[in-house]
Amino acid sequence: MSHARRQALIVRDGREGDSSALTTNLFRPFLVRHGFEVLVEDCLEVYEDEKLLAQTDLVVQCWQAGDITPGESASLRAAVQGGTGLVGWHSGLVDAFPEDFDYQLLVGGRFRLDPSGGGRHRVRLAAERADHPVVTGLCDFDTDVERYWPLHDPLIDVLATITFDGDDSRPGASTVPAVWTRTWGRGRVFASTLRCRPNGTGMTHERALIERGLLWASR
């Protein structure tokens, strides 16, 4: 008896020299190994294909340039509402389409500023969510990817945080979400503010979180 394979749709911008293709390609073998047929599109118009999205179990978005149309945005939100999962990381999801407030609500947050510069810092997993499938069995880790301060919906489920030290403007340390999930109707969304470098070198923790997020969010 045969079983239908799940379908994943990778939506990435096609700018020459951009890292979106290299980065998303890191996860294509993982998706195939877990029973997905993978379709790749380099245009946002695919979001208006309601029939395709209804048949799609997981959308993986890595889009860092250009605007989304109201129709594309509405169709994506409707698909997630109906059960299609949405996953992305860093600017490909969390900083995409800054003029679209409805899209930002769907994702659960967006980059606002990077007051920290570079430097190594700690990513702390939320102890109270240690039983969540995305983080169970994992531990806190250090990373040198840049920190971003996201504006976020208080209804997201925060799985990991980063901390900004106080400075001349802010007298105390501030802790903000770095990895979160949320539900949207019957759909699930996974978002990470952490960059995943195309070569994957030294990014085992960041990559593990994304891989778990892919499986968790899928229909």
Side-chain angles (χ1 to χ4, degrees):
M1 180 177 178
S2 62
H3 296 273
R5 292 170 64 85
R6 290 182 290 178
Q7 179 164 290
L9 171 65
I10 294 176
V11 181
R12 63 195 190 191
D13 57 43
R15 291 181 297 161
E16 183 177 355
D18 188 74
S19 64
S20 62
L22 295 173
T23 304
T24 52
N25 281 345
L26 289 175
F27 299 100
R28 291 182 70 177
F30 175 85
L31 290 168
V32 171
R33 288 198 305 273
H34 285 82
F36 288 89
E37 293 183 355
V38 181
L39 174 65
V40 179
E41 293 287 347
D42 61 359
C43 63
L44 293 173
E45 286 86 347
V46 70
Y47 283 157
E48 294 197 88
D49 189 336
E50 296 180 4
K51 181 178 179 180
L52 174 63
L53 288 187
Q55 297 170 344
T56 296
D57 300 292
L58 177 68
V59 173
V60 182
Q61 180 183 287
C62 189
W63 198 276
Q64 303 177 69
D67 297 321
I68 194 169
T69 68
E72 293 160 354
S73 177
S75 183
L76 174 62
R77 298 195 312 273
V80 178
Q81 179 89 16
T84 300
L86 176 64
V87 168
W89 53 89
H90 204 251
S91 56
L93 184 79
V94 187
D95 202 34
F97 323 128
E99 302 302 318
D100 190 331
F101 180 67
D102 290 327
Y103 168 83
Q104 294 166 30
L105 274 180
L106 170 67
V107 171
R110 73 168 297 254
F111 290 167
R112 183 58 181 169
L113 70 154
D114 174 14
S116 67
R120 199 158 181 81
H121 58 279
R122 192 77 167 165
V123 177
R124 291 182 170 83
L125 305 187
E128 67 276 14
R129 302 301 290 122
D131 60 343
H132 193 287
V134 171
V135 296
T136 184
L138 301 181
C139 57
D140 299 350
F141 60 94
D142 294 321
T143 182
D144 60 359
V145 299
E146 61 268 44
R147 287 176 286 182
Y148 282 88
W149 186 302
L151 299 179
H152 64 278
D153 185 336
L155 297 180
I156 61 174
D157 188 5
V158 179
L159 302 182
T161 61
I162 56 175
T163 298
F164 292 90
D165 295 331
D167 55 23
D168 292 340
S169 301
R170 303 185 319 282
S174 301
T175 299
V176 299
V179 179
W180 65 81
T181 61
R182 76 167 313 151
T183 56
W184 187 266
R186 295 194 297 274
R188 293 175 169 185
V189 178
F190 168 88
S192 173
T193 67
L194 305 174
R195 182 188 298 277
C196 191
R197 296 192 182 96
N199 61 13
T201 302
M203 304 293 286
T204 55
H205 294 92
E206 292 88 338
R207 184 168 177 174
L209 287 167
I210 293 170
E211 288 178 343
R212 288 173 176 223
L214 293 168
L215 299 181
W216 177 86
S218 177
R219 194 196 316 263

